[in-house]
Amino acid sequence: MTSPEAVPDRPRQVRRYLPGAGLVIGVWAMLPPWVGPKLHGIPVKREVVDHIVPGIVVVAASVLVLVAGRRGRSAETLGLLTGMIVFLAGFWMTATHLPLVGQAQDGSVPVPSVVNHVLPGLTLAALGIVWSASYWRSSTSRPFPRSPRFDRATK
């Protein structure tokens, strides 16, 4: 049997790539309204809310983690919160595009357009889950500090 020291810490290995993946997928999430098959009749304002805002949030969160890492700060809590923010951005994008899936089943919207608009949101949600899971254990493994008031009450 191998010792715990010999087993690599997989979440720490994955963490190195998460901010870069967030940057790439965040930018990709902003592109569907202007690149690829188009959806006709969708106002630009709605496309901004559905694609641009979540994409900017993910890119900003990724940059924040990169900056914190470059400064050598321990980013356990920041990493967990960032993963949750990335998941929420992906969930938002996916939820706002669910009606398109129904329209594609009816044949009123082309399937390639729907795939082009839904896939970035699903990818962001999956990235957010992986990101959060990689920080979850380390942020919850420390015991909570005891309150001095609690210690006085038990003596």
Side-chain angles (χ1 to χ4, degrees), residues 63-73 75 78:
V63 168
L64 182 66
V65 170
L66 284 171
V67 168
R70 293 269 182 197
R71 292 187 177 173
R73 294 183 180 155
L78 177 63

Side-chain angles (χ1 to χ4, degrees), residues 26-111:
V27 169
W28 174 45
M30 292 187 268
L31 294 178
W34 294 276
V35 177
K38 305 283 186 223
L39 288 173
H40 300 289
I42 304 295
V44 173
K45 185 177 180 180
R46 184 166 182 180
E47 293 289 4
V48 167
V49 172
D50 290 351
H51 290 276
I52 302 301
V53 172
I56 288 173
V57 167
V58 170
V59 168
S62 299
V63 168
L64 182 66
V65 170
L66 284 171
V67 168
R70 293 269 182 197
R71 292 187 177 173
R73 294 183 180 155
S74 176
E76 301 297 321
T77 304
L78 177 63
L80 179 64
L81 291 174
T82 304
M84 292 178 177
I85 289 169
V86 170
F87 171 75
L88 287 174
F91 180 78
W92 171 261
M93 287 182 67
T94 303
T96 58
H97 288 89
L98 282 180
L100 283 176
V101 176
Q103 292 173 354
Q105 289 177 341
D106 296 342
S108 58
V109 175
V111 173

